[in-house]
Amino acid sequence: MKKTVGIIGLGKMGLPIAANLLEHGFTVIGYRRHMSDDFVVMGGTPALSCKEVAQQCNVVITCLPEDSALLEAVSGENGLVHGAHPGLTVVDISMLSIEVKEQAKRSLEQVGASMLDSPISGIPPQVLPRKTVLFASGEKHIFERCKPTLEGFTSTIFYLGDFGAGTKMKCVANLLVGIHILAAAEAMTLSIRAGLDPATVVQVISPSVASSAQFAARAPMMASQHYDPALSTIHQIEECIVIINSLSKAVNCPTPMLDTAAQYYESAIADGLGEKDVAFMHPFLEKTIKQNESRESV
């Protein structure tokens, strides 16, 4: 008999996660406010509400863009709590605030359900080949019960301990991501201004000790000046930085390099570039340099 799993949020990450689960023999019940035909075509079963998903599944994965979306999915008029039953576990894989995840957890526990905080690390193209990483946290026995489902869409899972540890680890990861993206943009800008061929820079740096996952993913986009479709947006990075800053203040840990990077991301958003892929920080830096040169020449 096929195992059944629910997914709330069938966007750029949720949809390929559903595809992997279907490929691994799961029946997938999905809900999205604006359901796409792609989910049905791949074999998914659409639901009319989060409540309906909870009623049909023991494990529900939530992959949502913001705090308010998680609270609505869990506690809204047709939220998961209204379809909850003993044994239901909600696994949130989103990058959201710890405070809101804890609020959602309490709401679920009040109706006999449980929750894991398990952010996913990776970009959409890494999902289908199972190259994402899951930072799982929550009660160990609940994690063990859900692990076979999680293994249905990713090969690398770390159990990190108490609820919230997953988001803390995601903050550490995304601190590096935010800095590395801007560093890649800065390096590509310098190389081009120095007269180096951008394609050659990518070829030489990628296998060297100077490379990073973000350089490998974004430098080719910068070199070719092809930024669509956006895999992760500048606005999403800025949202992550807000969550990281909340954690860093709570534990009294300065983040000077991230703070510097944040100024550039915020300026890019103010320039109307929030929905561009983060690789677009390269032309934004070049534009900023030219604007400074123009002011200095006046």
Side-chain angles (χ1 to χ4, degrees):
M1 183 177 180
K2 287 187 176 181
K3 297 178 181 179
T4 302
V5 59
I7 297 185
I8 309 298
L10 293 162
K12 293 179 180 179
M13 295 292 282
L15 198 61
I17 286 172
N20 267 349
L21 288 165
L22 288 163
E23 179 72 19
H24 283 78
F26 288 84
T27 295
V28 181
I29 312 294
Y31 173 75
R32 186 183 186 188
R33 187 169 297 175
H34 303 292
M35 184 64 71
S36 69
D37 293 336
D38 292 340
F39 178 62
V40 177
V41 170
M42 69 172 60
T45 303
L48 297 177
S49 67
C50 298
K51 173 184 175 180
E52 185 178 319
V53 174
Q55 290 172 332
Q56 299 183 61
C57 305
N58 286 328
V59 178
V60 176
I61 298 164
T62 50
C63 185
L64 299 164
E66 56 193 14
D67 287 356
S68 60
L70 177 63
L71 294 179
E72 177 65 23
V74 170
S75 305
E77 183 178 355
N78 288 296
L80 294 166
V81 295
H82 302 294
H85 52 83
L88 172 67
T89 299
V90 175
V91 183
D92 185 70
I93 65 171
S94 319
M95 175 55 167
L96 305 174
S97 69
I98 296 175
E99 294 78 12
V100 164
K101 291 195 180 194
E102 289 176 338
Q103 183 179 340
K105 177 175 177 285
R106 289 192 296 270
S107 297
L108 288 161
E109 289 175 340
Q110 288 173 2
V111 294
S114 58
M115 183 173 177
L116 294 176
D117 165 40
S118 305
I120 192 169
S121 179
I123 55 178
Q126 294 178 313
V127 178
L128 282 177
R130 297 167 61 82
K131 293 183 178 180
T132 56
V133 179
L134 208 64
F135 304 141
S137 63
E139 293 186 50
K140 183 66 179 293
H141 74 279
I142 296 174
F143 164 72
E144 292 294 345
R145 191 173 69 211
C146 295
K147 189 177 179 181
T149 299
L150 305 181
E151 290 174 334
F153 65 88
T154 185
S155 299
T156 308
I157 304 171
F158 292 98
Y159 174 72
L160 300 172
D162 293 342
F163 189 94
T167 291
K168 292 175 183 177
M169 187 65 74
K170 178 72 170 176
C171 284
V172 172
N174 278 14
L175 180 148
L176 291 168
V177 166
I179 293 170
H180 287 174
I181 289 169
L182 190 64
E186 186 174 307
M188 291 302 292
T189 302
L190 173 62
S191 65
I192 292 170
R193 284 191 152 243
L196 295 172
D197 173 61
T200 302
V201 173
V202 174
Q203 182 182 13
V204 171
I205 296 297
S206 292
S208 77
V209 295
S211 188
S212 68
Q214 292 305 318
F215 183 90
R218 263 65 193 217
M221 299 170 70
M222 297 173 186
S224 65
Q225 299 183 44
H226 292 153
Y227 303 103
D228 295 317
L231 303 178
S232 297
T233 68
I234 296 171
H235 180 66
Q236 287 174 319
I237 284 289
E238 192 270 339
E239 288 180 328
C240 290
I241 291 174
V242 171
I243 297 171
I244 297 167
N245 284 341
S246 178
L247 176 62
S248 67
K249 289 176 183 177
V251 299
N252 192 31
C253 179
T255 54
M257 292 185 70
L258 183 67
D259 293 344
T260 299
Q263 295 175 24
Y264 285 90
Y265 290 122
E266 290 167 2
S267 294
I269 291 171
D271 214 31
L273 303 176
E275 297 308 312
K276 293 285 189 180
D277 188 272
V278 289
F280 208 83
M281 291 304 296
H282 166 50
F284 174 73
L285 281 182
E286 178 60 33
K287 176 183 175 182
T288 301
I289 292 171
K290 288 180 178 178
Q291 288 176 335
N292 291 337
E293 288 174 338
S294 296
R295 282 193 289 267
E296 291 172 358
S297 65
V298 174

